[in-house]
Amino acid sequence: QEADTVRTIYRLYLNCDGVSDLKDDLDRQGIRSKLRTYANGKTVGGVPLSRGMLYRLLSNPVYIGRVSHKDTTYEGQHDGILPQDLWDAVQRKLADNRANRTSRTNASHPSLLAGLLYDETGDRLSPTHANNHGMRYRFYISHRLTIQRRSRIEGWRLPAFELEKAVLSGLAESLRDPEALVDLARLDGADAAMIETFTFGARKIAVQLQAGGTEKTLQILQQVISRIEIRPGNLRLLICRQALCSALSADAKPQRTPDDADIATIDMPFHMRRRGVEAKLMLAGDPLMKPSKDVTLVQLIRNVHRWLDSLTSGKVYSIDDLASHEGIPASEISRTLQLAFLAPDITKSILVGIQPTDLTAQLLRRLGKLPASWQEQRRLLGMQGQSCSAS
């Protein structure tokens, strides 16, 4: 029965786009790992096959009667359970998929944090993606959600770009901060020459992190970060001091005492905001993560003020006349013209790009009747207490 299952998995793989699709197919069919019971009564297995397990199964030469040692395979003393042509076809497809994943097209979207992310339960977050209308969206998802597809299972599903941007920004800012650098590299009592060397190296790495050069950025992250822990409201980077010092200067070493831990931490408070169907990860106090100008929203505000000016100045005589001139439905103008009467501070916040992240043109178009009270408008749009200091 086990041999039949292995042959089924190999044949299914040849008809799938990749291992992820194969896993989905196997999960739908209820195919699981072999259940084993030990003499003490303990059982293992009987769980959905993970992507890692499938990769190992699809590349294990034991199924064609061979055994591997290091990088070489040898003829075994057992009979294989797979025909050679099936094995060869699967290996060619695995090789083609590996080549595609490392091609220039796909390399522009690497999973920078793969293998580093863990949530508050200790579960690893794995990279995944979804395709929607030709667009590719990347995520990091708690591993338990990939093997237990049930609505009652709780876990993280975070937008990859936002999370990677937060980590790169947080690490770069800490490297630029002299006080933070002293703690990260344990430079207490270091002489001026050593501090200068470290500071220069830290600034170079910070520039590289902000530039986001894929290969070099990935190398830096994998070298200096030992682990990233995410829990509600806080993102923690665990930095390996020894590795950081090596990255900053080949000659310099951290100052240590016998009870020193080799791990430094960077804590970054955050909150999640939703913008339509898109989730945003917002770091507290980080200007790089604040909302920027929403071009669509700004254009909407400019349009309604232009429409109001046309009506009040006599350039057009009615909304129907304006709609004909603009080439848009009169109902659209009637529904959105009220936005010309937003509180001045709300309008200014939109124009300079410091409005709440979830305040979109779509939300304003569906707002319904706009309150005449500016205070009520601020409450409705979540802008109580927000000031607009930009000129």
Side-chain angles (χ1 to χ4, degrees):
Q1 184 179 358
E2 183 178 0
D4 289 340
T5 300
V6 171
R7 284 191 286 268
T8 296
I9 291 173
Y10 268 67
R11 292 190 180 100
L12 283 174
Y13 175 66
L14 292 179
N15 294 315
C16 293
D17 288 337
V19 172
S20 294
D21 287 343
L22 174 63
K23 172 178 169 47
D24 291 341
D25 202 353
L26 295 175
D27 288 347
R28 284 192 294 270
Q29 296 186 39
I31 297 178
R32 299 186 168 223
S33 63
K34 183 178 180 180
L35 182 65
R36 294 180 171 84
T37 303
Y38 294 104
N40 61 3
K42 181 180 179 181
T43 60
V44 296
V47 299
L49 294 163
S50 68
R51 292 173 69 250
M53 294 168 66
L54 288 172
Y55 274 116
R56 289 193 294 272
L57 185 150
L58 291 170
S59 57
N60 192 344
V62 72
Y63 297 128
I64 54 169
R66 300 184 67 83
V67 293
S68 61
H69 178 67
K70 296 184 178 180
D71 296 328
T72 308
T73 63
Y74 303 91
E75 196 70 33
Q77 297 181 0
H78 64 285
D79 294 328
I81 61 175
L82 291 176
Q84 186 68 46
D85 59 344
L86 178 58
W87 164 267
D88 291 340
V90 167
Q91 303 316 302
R92 285 194 297 271
K93 183 165 183 176
L94 286 171
D96 289 343
N97 285 344
R98 280 194 295 269
N100 289 336
R101 286 197 300 272
T102 56
S103 69
R104 180 172 299 179
T105 299
N106 290 314
S108 63
H109 299 288
S111 296
L112 295 177
L113 309 181
L116 298 175
L117 278 168
Y118 295 82
D119 66 19
E120 70 275 18
T121 71
D123 196 12
R124 187 179 74 253
L125 273 72
S126 303
T128 185
H129 72 274
N131 292 305
N132 186 16
H133 300 293
M135 294 293 291
R136 178 185 173 98
Y137 298 91
R138 297 187 302 119
F139 301 92
Y140 289 98
I141 183 172
S142 295
H143 184 64
R144 59 186 175 276
L145 297 182
T146 67
I147 60 176
Q148 302 181 62
R149 297 171 181 263
R150 303 173 186 171
S151 59
R152 66 175 180 269
I153 300 295
E154 295 184 354
W156 293 91
R157 187 174 185 269
L158 297 168
F161 176 77
E162 297 290 337
L163 185 57
E164 290 164 359
K165 184 178 178 182
V167 169
L168 293 174
S169 175
L171 181 55
E173 288 302 307
S174 294
L175 291 175
R176 286 195 182 98
D177 183 344
E179 292 185 7
L181 181 62
V182 166
D183 176 67
L184 286 178
R186 189 62 80 203
L187 297 177
D188 309 77
D191 58 40
M194 178 180 290
I195 292 177
E196 183 178 357
T197 298
F198 269 70
T199 301
F200 178 75
R203 288 174 179 168
K204 284 181 62 178
I205 291 180
V207 169
Q208 179 62 55
L209 292 173
Q210 296 285 211
T214 302
E215 184 175 347
K216 184 62 176 178
T217 301
L218 180 62
Q219 180 183 345
I220 293 170
L221 292 180
Q222 295 289 339
Q223 179 181 359
V224 305
I225 297 180
S226 64
R227 184 182 176 100
I228 301 172
E229 297 175 351
I230 187 163
R231 60 187 66 244
N234 190 65
L235 185 63
R236 170 170 287 186
L237 310 186
L238 279 68
I239 308 298
C240 177
R241 285 195 171 104
Q242 189 66 51
L244 177 62
C245 289
S246 298
L248 298 179
S249 170
D251 299 325
K253 295 181 179 180
Q255 304 299 306
R256 301 174 59 88
T257 61
D259 59 344
D260 258 348
D262 191 44
I263 299 297
T265 60
I266 299 174
D267 285 305
M268 297 183 291
F270 73 91
H271 64 276
M272 300 296 297
R273 297 293 296 271
R274 186 158 294 278
R275 180 184 178 86
V277 298
E278 182 184 6
K280 292 283 188 180
L281 188 148
M282 308 295 294
L283 290 185
D286 185 354
L288 295 177
M289 299 300 292
K290 289 182 179 178
S292 56
K293 285 187 181 181
D294 183 326
V295 176
T296 304
L297 182 56
V298 169
Q299 188 60 51
L300 175 62
I301 297 300
R302 288 175 175 167
N303 283 344
V304 297
H305 280 274
R306 181 168 51 80
W307 296 342
L308 181 62
D309 179 68
S310 295
L311 287 166
T312 57
S313 66
K315 292 179 182 178
V316 295
Y317 298 105
S318 67
I319 288 180
D320 287 337
D321 189 14
L322 178 61
S324 177
H325 183 268
E326 294 286 330
I328 60 177
S331 59
E332 171 72 8
I333 295 178
S334 298
R335 184 171 60 251
T336 57
L337 190 60
Q338 62 176 350
L339 300 177
F341 301 98
L342 284 170
D345 57 309
I346 296 177
T347 299
K348 191 173 184 181
S349 294
I350 291 171
L351 295 179
V352 300
I354 60 171
Q355 77 285 345
T357 309
D358 51 0
L359 180 56
T360 64
Q362 184 180 29
L363 183 147
L364 289 182
R365 287 191 177 101
R366 297 178 178 178
L367 193 59
K369 186 176 180 180
L370 181 71
S373 166
W374 289 350
Q375 184 175 352
E376 281 300 305
Q377 291 179 16
R378 297 184 190 103
R379 182 194 61 78
L380 179 64
L381 300 178
M383 300 183 68
Q384 306 99 311
Q386 179 169 327
S387 62
C388 180
S389 58
S391 58

